[in-house]
Amino acid sequence: DAKDLYFRMLEPDASSDPSVLRASRRFLAEQLVIAEDGTDDLPDDMSDLSAWATSSTAAVGERYREYLTDRQTGAGRRYLRNKAHALNFLRGVAPTKLVDGAWLYGVVNQWRDARYAELIRIYLEELGDGDPEMNHVLLYQRLLAAHECESWRSLDSPFFTQGAIQLALAQHTEDLLPEVIGFNLGYEQLPLHLLISAYELNELGIDPYYFTLHVTIDNAATGHSARAVRSVFDALPTFGDHEEFYRRVRNGYRMSSHGVSTNDVIEGFDLDQEVVKVLAEKASVGSSLHSDYCRIGGKTVNDWLSTPGQMGSFLQALEKAGWIQRHQNPDNSRFWKLLCGEKAPMFGVFNAYDRQVIHDWIAGDTLPLSTPARYWYRNQKSVLGVGCRSRDAIGLEGETEQPSGVEVEGGTAAVGGRGKNNDFNRDVLRLQQEVNEAPSREAAMDRLVPLLSPTHHHTPAGLLATRLFAQALHE
């Protein structure tokens, strides 16, 4: 099961647990069987890879220009119909985004070998070189938290397939290096959906920085796309079978599209089904907490909530009774005011994601299909740590606060600007001490490698380890 394996591989001792290693290797074997029977768009001649990457990017750029032309001439959003759809998209791709770059972790311990320099450089950039403002997993965590979309763990197993592949490759790079290189080649190419989703997230008032960051760093000229191509030739065996090597690279490339794709997540959203799902998730908790004086459709609220499968009918009854005014401003609906009005009786029951789903379902046809774009700016004092909105857009006044992060100052670790020993920064202070006391640069580097893992790199100790590793790598 991809979901079960995904979370097992993220446990701190996963890399030394024989049962997890066996399960992840079997999982990869199954995925490689699928890849063998698949197809791809890679050139048959390996020497054409650079030209292929350049032409692929150009083709995506042309299709994006066509999209922008359509939008400028009045077409509506192509992917995200409303903000609820956008938040559902963020949640649906979370299992993949929250292990961003994991497939390359297995090459980090080869830092002495120049052949792996391009791959290690890509991985360190996925980790933001230890900067909490640039670490991709932290950026996505904060984006989810900003919109209360953390319920991604309840997604079905297929949503975890791609993330599980990435984590499994991290565990078995030594045996599957060509596949890792091919997977990386596929993942670092610029997809059209990245450009369009960033545009439409921005339009819906959601900071697109996580997505626009990938547009820039994955460029085919000097970015990850170009590095990915070079890494193929860096690892090409001197005496081995080049055709067999490239065959395995292509299988890894094909695996980069396995599982539920971004387009699958976008196309799979149904607002009517999602609003029913949101209410059903709350029903089991609230089925005995309502008073009996209010009856809707001849039943008490407790009766509605305690009967599985009744949420669709319950919504119809609320609408018929006038509690919900569909295709109008939700403020006109008594039900909405129970959730969000002044002194709302159900305050705190529904999180921001739930409320957005209910809001957009009630608003229905009144929601615009095209809205003016918002404009975002990067600021190191971002209140969310993911790129601050303009204050006019979110009603902020005054200065925002500096997010807590890890800095190395004068050879000691400082967390949030404070270097004193306490429960919040003990890990980083201990790590700094161990690195300072290491008998050699090589010993220090080897000590840091485990903290660059998908489980640890976005923690305070992992961020510090990444910064120290990146600095030492260039000494």
Side-chain angles (χ1 to χ4, degrees):
D1 178 76
K3 182 175 181 177
D4 176 66
L5 182 60
Y6 177 94
F7 287 109
R8 289 174 67 192
M9 287 188 291
L10 283 173
E11 294 174 359
D13 60 349
S15 61
S16 59
D17 186 332
S19 66
V20 175
L21 293 172
R22 287 194 298 270
S24 60
R25 190 65 182 85
R26 287 196 301 270
F27 176 74
L28 284 177
E30 295 167 359
Q31 295 299 319
L32 285 169
V33 169
I34 297 172
E36 284 277 8
D37 293 333
T39 59
D40 60 63
D41 62 342
L42 290 177
D44 291 332
D45 189 337
M46 191 167 24
S47 63
D48 293 331
L49 276 175
S50 183
W52 164 82
T54 301
S55 64
S56 295
T57 300
V60 168
E62 179 60 32
R63 293 174 64 191
Y64 185 55
R65 284 192 292 273
E66 293 172 358
Y67 165 83
L68 292 177
T69 300
D70 289 344
R71 296 303 311 276
Q72 291 163 3
T73 54
R77 286 184 295 274
R78 183 180 299 180
Y79 283 175
L80 306 173
R81 295 187 294 278
N82 46 55
K83 191 169 184 178
H85 191 179
L87 297 184
N88 182 269
F89 158 66
L90 294 183
R91 191 180 67 155
V93 299
T96 302
K97 304 304 184 186
L98 291 173
V99 294
D100 200 358
W103 65 90
L104 286 176
Y105 170 64
V107 303
V108 177
N109 61 6
Q110 299 297 324
W111 59 269
R112 297 172 180 84
D113 192 331
R115 293 177 299 172
Y116 302 102
E118 298 285 13
L119 296 173
I120 294 174
R121 183 68 256 155
I122 293 173
Y123 186 63
L124 292 177
E125 290 181 3
E126 299 283 346
L127 275 51
D129 283 320
D131 182 351
E133 294 293 314
M134 299 297 288
N135 179 285
H136 292 189
V137 171
L138 273 180
L139 288 176
Y140 208 80
Q141 285 180 344
R142 291 166 181 166
L143 182 59
L144 292 175
H147 300 282
E148 298 184 15
C149 293
E150 294 99 332
S151 61
W152 59 273
R153 292 172 180 81
S154 65
L155 292 168
D156 294 335
S157 186
F159 288 87
F160 293 83
T161 298
Q162 182 59 220
I165 292 173
Q166 296 181 21
L167 292 169
L169 286 173
Q171 292 189 336
H172 299 283
T173 304
E174 187 173 347
D175 296 328
L176 297 172
L177 180 61
E179 287 79 5
V180 168
I181 291 172
F183 187 96
N184 183 66
L185 182 65
Y187 233 83
E188 299 300 352
Q189 303 310 309
L190 180 65
L192 179 63
H193 65 70
L194 186 66
L195 295 161
I196 295 178
S197 57
Y199 186 95
E200 297 187 0
L201 287 169
N202 180 52
E203 191 178 17
L204 289 163
I206 298 170
D207 187 347
Y209 181 69
Y210 172 89
F211 299 89
T212 58
L213 173 64
H214 285 76
V215 174
T216 55
I217 67 172
D218 291 347
N219 74 83
T222 59
H224 290 185
S225 176
R227 293 181 183 275
V229 171
R230 288 198 295 270
S231 71
V232 175
F233 298 98
D234 289 344
L236 195 65
T238 303
F239 301 109
D241 185 338
H242 288 191
E243 289 186 3
E244 173 63 10
F245 174 83
Y246 191 45
R247 181 191 69 81
R248 294 177 62 184
V249 167
R250 296 183 76 157
N251 282 339
Y253 177 87
R254 293 168 186 168
M255 281 203 301
S256 68
S257 62
H258 287 188
V260 177
S261 69
T262 294
N263 288 331
D264 292 336
V265 173
I266 291 170
E267 294 169 5
F269 179 74
D270 185 302
L271 185 56
D272 291 332
Q273 293 179 6
E274 192 65 17
V275 73
V276 170
K277 182 178 178 181
V278 164
L279 291 177
E281 288 173 349
K282 301 294 187 293
S284 60
V285 176
S287 60
S288 60
L289 301 180
H290 294 77
S291 300
D292 286 341
Y293 66 84
C294 180
R295 302 181 74 86
I296 298 170
K299 296 181 182 180
T300 67
V301 174
N302 287 334
D303 288 339
W304 281 111
L305 300 184
S306 61
T307 306
Q310 289 296 301
M311 287 305 98
S313 299
F314 181 43
L315 285 171
Q316 293 176 4
L318 287 169
E319 189 174 355
K320 185 175 181 180
W323 283 69
I324 293 176
Q325 305 292 331
R326 289 292 311 281
H327 308 295
Q328 296 184 27
N329 187 325
D331 289 339
N332 297 334
S333 292
R334 185 178 177 186
F335 178 73
W336 177 250
K337 293 179 179 178
L338 295 176
L339 278 60
C340 295
E342 186 177 353
K343 296 181 180 179
M346 288 196 287
F347 172 79
V349 174
F350 297 91
N351 64 24
Y353 173 74
D354 299 333
R355 294 194 301 272
Q356 192 68 55
V357 169
I358 295 169
H359 174 279
D360 289 359
W361 179 78
I362 294 174
D365 295 341
T366 64
L367 291 173
L369 296 178
S370 180
T371 55
R374 284 128 167 105
Y375 296 94
W376 305 81
Y377 67 91
R378 286 293 291 161
N379 187 319
Q380 289 302 311
K381 293 184 177 181
S382 162
V383 71
L384 297 176
V386 295
C388 189
R389 314 181 193 194
S390 67
R391 291 188 178 89
D392 290 341
I394 58 176
L396 290 178
E397 297 180 357
E399 293 297 321
T400 54
E401 295 181 359
Q402 176 70 35
S404 295
V406 177
E407 297 182 359
V408 181
E409 300 174 353
T412 61
V415 182
R418 298 180 181 179
K420 79 176 184 177
N421 192 0
N422 57 47
D423 286 341
F424 291 105
N425 63 12
R426 188 165 290 140
D427 283 347
V428 294
L429 292 172
R430 179 177 176 179
L431 175 62
Q432 182 70 64
Q433 181 180 359
E434 290 181 5
V435 171
N436 289 342
E437 295 175 353
S440 65
R441 170 176 173 266
E442 286 73 17
M445 296 280 279
D446 289 338
R447 170 66 185 90
L448 295 170
V449 166
L451 290 171
L452 273 61
S453 73
T455 301
H456 297 294
H457 70 73
H458 50 281
T459 66
L463 291 167
L464 175 59
T466 306
R467 292 187 65 168
L468 294 175
F469 185 91
Q471 292 168 8
L473 194 63
H474 297 98
E475 290 179 356

